[in-house]
C-alpha cells in the first residue's frame, strides 16, 4: 500500500464478525437413528459387588448365579451360595428369577423372593454383597455399558487389566485357592533399566516398549491367567491352578522371548530384558493376598540384586521372615535362572509393590 494513500478503515466489530461466521452451525442432512426396529435384549448388569460393571445377556437357557466357578454369573463372595439363584426365560418370553434355597436369600427391590417375574429396571440383591439390575437393552446401550466396564478395568496404554482389577481378581482367586486347596501362583516383573530407555529414546519409545511387551506376555498365557499393569513399568500375572514348577517355567518362557524380541523405534533396535519374581500360595504360608504379593515382590528384588534379566522364585513351602539390614536388603531367595552374562552386578531394587 502506498504510504501516501489513506489507510483502509477496519471496523471495530470485524473480529467479532469473523468469529461469529466461523461459529455457524453447518447444515447437514441428518438421518434418524433407527432404534425401534432392533429387538431389546434382556440383560443383567452388576451394579456392585464382585464383577461390578459386567453385563450378562440372558439367553434361552437357564442361567445359574452363585459363587461356584461353574455358574454362568460367577459371584465369588462367601455370603453367596455355590448355586444361589437362577434366572430363566419363560415360554411367554418373560424372564423370571428363582432362589435356589440359598443360605442368605435373594431379594428383588428390597423384598425377599422365592420366584418372581422380572420387570425392566428391577434391582436384584444376592445375599448382602451383590446388586444387579435387570434391564432390556439395544446394541447401543449394551456397547455403552461394555465400554464403561472396559475403561474401568483396563490400562489405556497397554490394554491389559489395571491395578484395581488385579487386586479384586487376586482376592477372588486367593479365597478360591484356599477354600479348594488348589495352587495359585503370582509373578511380578518389570523392565530392566526402563528409565534408561526413556532417557535415550524418549517417552514415546518407552510407551511403545510397554505396549508391545504387554501383548507379547499376554500371548504366552493361558485363557484363565490374568496379566495387569501394576504401575509404571511393573506388571503382575495371576496363574490359576499353577504350581511352583509350572509358574517358573512360564516366567522363564516369557523372559527368554522378551530378551530375544526386536523392539524398534525410528529404525533403531531397543534391547529389552525383564526381571521376574515368583511366589506360589501354599497352605500356611500366606494368610491374605497382600502377603503373596510381598513374597513375589521380594523375589523380584533378588532378581534385581543378582544381575537382572532373570527369574527368581520362592521355593515351595519355604517361608522366610522379612529382614532388613542397614542397607535395606531382604531375606534370601529360592530358585534362580538367568541368561549367562546378562545384566550387571549393580542393584536396581525398585519400589516394592506391597507394604
Amino acid at each position: 500500500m502506498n504510504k501516501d494513500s489513506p489507510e483502509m478503515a477496519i471496523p471495530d466489530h470485524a473480529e467479532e464478525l469473523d468469529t461469529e461466521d466461523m461459529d455457524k452451525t453447518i447444515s447437514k442432512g441428518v438421518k434418524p437413528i433407527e432404534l425401534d426396529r432392533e429387538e431389546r435384549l434382556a440383560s443383567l448388569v452388576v451394579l456392585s459387588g464382585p464383577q461390578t460393571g459386567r453385563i450378562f445377556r440372558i439367553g434361552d437357557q437357564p442361567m445359574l448365579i452363585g459363587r461356584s466357578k461353574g455358574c454362568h454369573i460367577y459371584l465369588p463372595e462367601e455370603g453367596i451360595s455355590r448355586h444361589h439363584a437362577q434366572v430363566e426365560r419363560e415360554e411367554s418370553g418373560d424372564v423370571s428369577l428363582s432362589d435356589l434355597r440359598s443360605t442368605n436369600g435373594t431379594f428383588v427391590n428390597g423384598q425377599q423372593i422365592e420366584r418372581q417375574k422380572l420387570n425392566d429396571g428391577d434391582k436384584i440383591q444376592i445375599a448382602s454383597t451383590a446388586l444387579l439390575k435387570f434391564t432390556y437393552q439395544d446394541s447401543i446401550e449394551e456397547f455403552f455399558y461394555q465400554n464403561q466396564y472396559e475403561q474401568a478395568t483396563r490400562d489405556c496404554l497397554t490394554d491389559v487389566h489395571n491395578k484395581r482389577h488385579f487386586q479384586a481378581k487376586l482376592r477372588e482367586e486367593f479365597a478360591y485357592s484356599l477354600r479348594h486347596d488348589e495352587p495359585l501362583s503370582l509373578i511380578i516383573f518389570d523392565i530392566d533399566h526402563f528409565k534408561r530407555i526413556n532417557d535415550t529414546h524418549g517417552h514415546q519409545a518407552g510407551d511403545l516398549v510397554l505396549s508391545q511387551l504387554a501383548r507379547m506376555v499376554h500371548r504366552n498365557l493361558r485363557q484363565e491367567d490374568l496379566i495387569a499393569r501394576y504401575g509404571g513399568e511393573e506388571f503382575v500375572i495371576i496363574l490359576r491352578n499353577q504350581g511352583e514348577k509350572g509358574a517358573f517355567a512360564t516366567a522363564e518362557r516369557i523372559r527368554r522371548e522378551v530378551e530375544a524380541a526386536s523392539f524398534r523405534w525410528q529404525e533403531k533396535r531397543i534391547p529389552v530384558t525383564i526381571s521376574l519374581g515368583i511366589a506360589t500360595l501354599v497352605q500356611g504360608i500366606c494368610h491374605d493376598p497382600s502377603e503373596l504379593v510381598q513374597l513375589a515382590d521380594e523375589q523380584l528384588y533378588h532378581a534385581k540384586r543378582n544381575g537382572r534379566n532373570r527369574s527368581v522364585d520362592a521355593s515351595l513351602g519355604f517361608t522366610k521372615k522379612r529382614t532388613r539390614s542397614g542397607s535395606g536388603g531382604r531375606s534370601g531367595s529360592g530358585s534362580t535362572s538367568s541368561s549367562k552374562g546378562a545384566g550387571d552386578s549393580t542393584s536396581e531394587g525398585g519400589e516394592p509393590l506391597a507394604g
Side-chain angles (χ1 to χ4, degrees):
M1 179 182 297
N2 191 313
K3 64 179 181 179
D4 297 326
S5 62
E7 294 185 1
M8 182 180 295
I10 301 177
D12 294 336
H13 62 285
E15 184 176 348
E16 181 181 346
L17 290 174
D18 289 343
T19 304
E20 290 179 355
D21 186 63
M22 292 173 60
D23 205 30
K24 286 183 179 179
T25 302
I26 300 173
S27 177
K28 291 184 176 180
V30 178
K31 182 180 179 181
I33 300 175
E34 297 181 2
L35 300 176
D36 294 337
R37 296 184 181 182
E38 184 177 357
E39 181 185 2
R40 292 170 61 83
L41 303 172
S43 305
L44 286 174
V45 181
V46 183
L47 300 180
S48 66
Q51 307 259 40
T52 297
R54 283 290 305 274
I55 305 170
F56 297 93
R57 183 182 292 183
I58 299 171
D60 294 329
Q61 299 299 318
M63 298 176 67
L64 284 172
I65 303 172
R67 77 162 193 266
S68 169
K69 286 193 174 181
C71 290
H72 305 88
I73 302 177
Y74 171 54
L75 302 175
E77 286 286 349
E78 291 185 353
I80 298 174
S81 298
R82 288 174 52 81
H83 293 164
H84 193 105
Q86 178 174 281
V87 60
E88 59 185 324
R89 190 184 297 275
E90 300 175 352
E91 292 184 3
S92 62
D94 294 329
V95 176
S96 63
L97 175 71
S98 302
D99 181 78
L100 300 180
R101 303 176 69 179
S102 64
T103 301
N104 293 311
T106 302
F107 303 79
V108 176
N109 299 327
Q111 300 296 318
Q112 188 166 0
I113 61 101
E114 293 184 1
R115 181 180 177 88
Q116 182 167 319
K117 172 189 168 184
L118 295 176
N119 297 307
D120 193 8
D122 280 349
K123 303 293 195 307
I124 301 167
Q125 180 182 334
I126 305 296
S128 61
T129 54
L131 183 65
L132 298 84
K133 178 182 178 181
F134 175 73
T135 180
Y136 288 95
Q137 299 179 339
D138 55 36
S139 60
I140 295 176
E141 293 169 316
E142 186 176 51
F143 174 79
F144 169 78
Y145 280 111
Q146 185 61 37
N147 188 53
Q148 291 288 98
Y149 177 75
E150 292 294 323
Q151 289 186 16
T153 59
R154 290 194 177 272
D155 174 64
C156 61
L157 174 64
T158 61
D159 200 37
V160 298
H161 290 291
N162 59 22
K163 178 180 178 179
R164 178 182 177 184
H165 184 76
F166 157 74
Q167 291 174 323
K169 194 67 176 177
L170 182 61
R171 287 194 297 269
E172 295 174 10
E173 295 295 342
F174 190 93
Y176 183 89
S177 179
L178 289 181
R179 187 182 299 117
H180 298 277
D181 195 21
E182 292 185 1
L184 175 70
S185 292
L186 178 68
I187 298 175
I188 298 176
F189 71 92
D190 70 7
I191 300 173
D192 298 326
H193 299 298
F194 185 69
K195 184 178 184 299
R196 186 183 300 171
I197 294 175
N198 280 332
D199 292 345
T200 304
H201 303 279
H203 288 275
Q204 286 182 306
D207 288 349
L208 175 80
V209 169
L210 288 170
S211 58
Q212 290 187 354
L213 173 67
R215 288 196 296 269
M216 182 183 303
V217 174
H218 188 265
R219 289 196 302 267
N220 276 275
L221 300 177
R222 305 167 301 171
Q223 185 175 0
E224 60 267 34
D225 299 331
L226 180 140
I227 176 174
R229 185 182 180 191
Y230 201 90
E233 72 273 24
E234 297 168 322
F235 294 83
V236 285
I237 302 171
I238 299 175
L239 300 173
R240 179 192 298 175
N241 200 23
Q242 187 80 279
E244 180 195 38
K245 292 182 179 179
F248 190 79
T250 298
E252 274 298 282
R253 183 173 65 250
I254 292 170
R255 185 189 63 79
R256 292 192 182 102
E257 182 167 338
V258 171
E259 183 182 24
S262 178
F263 297 86
R264 306 193 71 84
W265 174 254
Q266 296 180 346
E267 300 182 358
K268 294 181 181 178
R269 183 180 183 275
I270 303 175
V272 176
T273 61
I274 59 175
S275 299
L276 307 94
I278 310 148
T280 298
L281 175 62
V282 181
Q283 294 282 2
I285 289 185
C286 300
H287 299 91
D288 63 67
S290 66
E291 293 181 2
L292 186 65
V293 172
Q294 177 178 310
L295 189 58
D297 180 44
E298 288 178 348
Q299 309 320 306
L300 173 60
Y301 179 89
H302 301 312
K304 294 291 189 182
R305 282 290 299 267
N306 288 283
R308 305 182 182 89
N309 189 24
R310 63 191 62 223
S311 303
V312 179
D313 75 303
S315 298
L316 188 65
F318 178 54
T319 63
K320 301 176 288 294
K321 291 184 178 180
R322 184 170 178 145
T323 59
R324 292 187 180 275
S325 65
S327 60
R330 296 183 234 189
S331 55
S333 62
S335 302
T336 305
S337 179
S338 68
S339 294
K340 185 177 180 180
D344 59 46
S345 60
T346 305
S347 172
E348 188 170 81
E351 291 293 324
L353 298 185

